[in-house]
Amino acid sequence: MVLSIGDLSRRTGVKVPTIRYYESIGLLPAPARSDGGQRRYGRAHLERLGFVRHARDLGFEIEAIRELLAMAEDREGACGEAHAITRAHLADVEDRIARLSALRDELRAMLACDNGTVAQCRIIEVLADHEQCLHERH
Amino acid sequence: MVLSIGDLSRRTGVKVPTIRYYESIGLLPAPARSDGGQRRYGRAHLERLGFVRHARDLGFEIEAIRELLAMAEDREGACGEAHAITRAHLADVEDRIARLSALRDELRAMLACDNGTVAQCRIIEVLADHEQCLHERH
DNA sequence: CCTTGAACCTCTAGCGGCTAGAGGGAGTAG
DNA sequence: CTACTCCCTCTAGCCGCTAGAGGTTCAAGG
């Protein structure tokens, strides 16, 4: 299997410039080149990029993915660290959900007024005065 | 009331370089200066920056805040557009909550394995193979 | 074999929303 | 007057890409 960067892009859903970017930061190994200097990929690249893509979709940061990739290479190694990374990420996601939910409530409350003039508008008023918020901390 | 940039920073919780940044992008008007060229702020700046800070906390983008500020100035104007901006932002927040919740479920499922070797680890396995996900789309 | 046209190459700059650091001047308390 | 903190401008960097310029290579059709 020999793939151009465009083929790899279509197969993984990762854009061409992003693939080159990943190579530049060392997340993907530099592939072989054609006589004319174009990148030629194989199955290993396809799988590795699929892994990266998937982890990015799941919201892992590049540095975390770098560590996960290193672990994935060592199939006999312990996966404790992968759990630690995932737990940390989960905690972060849960925190973001909590903060966004509070924010959603705030925004809904702000919308609970008729469209009148700015002088009567809760949105402008709330933004100008934190005291009117539902929560002390958003 | 005359405030230095540091005073303004302490009163609003916005960092000093961020205040200068806001001025540079035209979100805050340029204040008067002391003889020596240091910024001197008054009550109007304090209120405007408080508004900005609050809107940022609520997750509004700078451009949205620019529009909200323009509306807040015209107290007799209609606030319909403020509602539109807020509704759009709310929709965005709700969408992010939904996607993060799906992601949270995914991460929790990935953690449901004992710490063994990488070869048996669900985390590495799931990352390498999208088919194993709970949802088709995260 | 030749032409076309898409795809590829490298390089630089830009996005948002700040943050950090260098190298210097201003203000203030003792 | 000194010491010290705060302030000034300017440039560069953060993340994770994305866009564009200007040029080269590849593959299919004639």
Side-chain angles (χ1 to χ4, degrees):
Chain A
M1 185 171 52
V2 179
L3 302 170
S4 72
I5 197 168
D7 297 331
L8 190 63
S9 171
R10 275 181 293 278
R11 293 236 207 170
T12 57
V14 178
K15 290 180 186 166
V16 168
T18 304
I19 296 173
R20 287 196 279 246
Y21 168 71
Y22 286 162
E23 181 184 326
S24 78
I25 61 170
L27 202 58
L28 289 183
R33 299 282 182 136
S34 71
D35 290 350
Q38 299 194 356
R39 291 171 178 81
R40 293 295 175 249
Y41 297 95
R43 182 170 304 278
H45 292 98
L46 185 62
E47 282 169 11
R48 192 174 173 103
L49 184 54
F51 187 107
V52 170
R53 165 75 206 273
H54 196 186
R56 285 295 299 143
D57 280 353
L58 288 170
F60 286 90
E61 293 179 4
I62 299 284
E63 284 315 304
I65 295 172
R66 221 186 272 278
E67 294 177 51
L68 289 168
L69 277 168
M71 276 178 274
E73 310 252 288
D74 174 18
R75 296 190 58 76
E76 299 312 309
C79 72
E81 208 185 334
H83 279 253
I85 292 172
T86 305
R87 264 195 304 274
H89 182 44
L90 175 59
D92 182 52
V93 167
E94 284 173 338
D95 187 58
R96 274 152 67 197
I97 289 172
R99 283 186 288 109
L100 283 172
S101 298
L103 171 55
R104 178 198 54 204
D105 297 344
E106 214 77 61
L107 291 172
R108 281 184 181 157
M110 283 165 70
L111 281 169
C113 83
D114 298 334
N115 286 6
T117 68
V118 166
Q120 306 148 350
C121 182
R122 264 197 58 75
I123 292 174
I124 303 291
E125 204 179 319
V126 169
L127 284 173
D129 180 10
H130 193 149
E131 298 301 308
Q132 298 194 29
C133 284
L134 301 177
H135 310 282
E136 181 54 29
R137 306 178 60 84
H138 311 295
Chain B
M1 185 171 49
V2 179
L3 303 171
S4 72
I5 197 168
D7 298 331
L8 190 63
S9 171
R10 274 181 293 278
R11 293 238 208 169
T12 57
V14 178
K15 290 179 186 166
V16 168
T18 304
I19 296 173
R20 287 196 280 247
Y21 168 72
Y22 285 163
E23 182 184 325
S24 78
I25 61 169
L27 202 58
L28 290 183
R33 299 281 181 137
S34 71
D35 290 350
Q38 300 194 354
R39 290 171 179 81
R40 293 293 176 251
Y41 296 95
R43 182 170 303 278
H45 292 97
L46 186 61
E47 282 168 11
R48 193 175 172 102
L49 184 54
F51 187 107
V52 170
R53 165 76 207 272
H54 196 186
R56 284 295 298 142
D57 280 353
L58 288 171
F60 286 91
E61 293 179 3
I62 299 283
E63 284 314 304
I65 295 172
R66 222 185 272 279
E67 293 177 50
L68 289 168
L69 277 167
M71 276 178 273
E73 309 252 289
D74 174 18
R75 295 189 59 74
E76 298 312 310
C79 72
E81 208 186 333
H83 279 253
I85 291 172
T86 305
R87 264 195 304 273
H89 182 45
L90 175 58
D92 182 51
V93 167
E94 284 174 338
D95 187 58
R96 274 151 67 197
I97 289 172
R99 283 186 289 107
L100 283 171
S101 299
L103 171 56
R104 178 198 54 206
D105 297 345
E106 214 77 60
L107 291 171
R108 281 184 181 157
M110 283 165 69
L111 282 168
C113 83
D114 298 334
N115 285 6
T117 67
V118 166
Q120 306 149 350
C121 183
R122 264 196 59 75
I123 292 174
I124 303 290
E125 204 179 320
V126 169
L127 284 174
D129 180 10
H130 194 150
E131 297 302 307
Q132 298 195 29
C133 284
L134 300 177
H135 310 281
E136 181 55 28
R137 306 179 61 85
H138 309 295

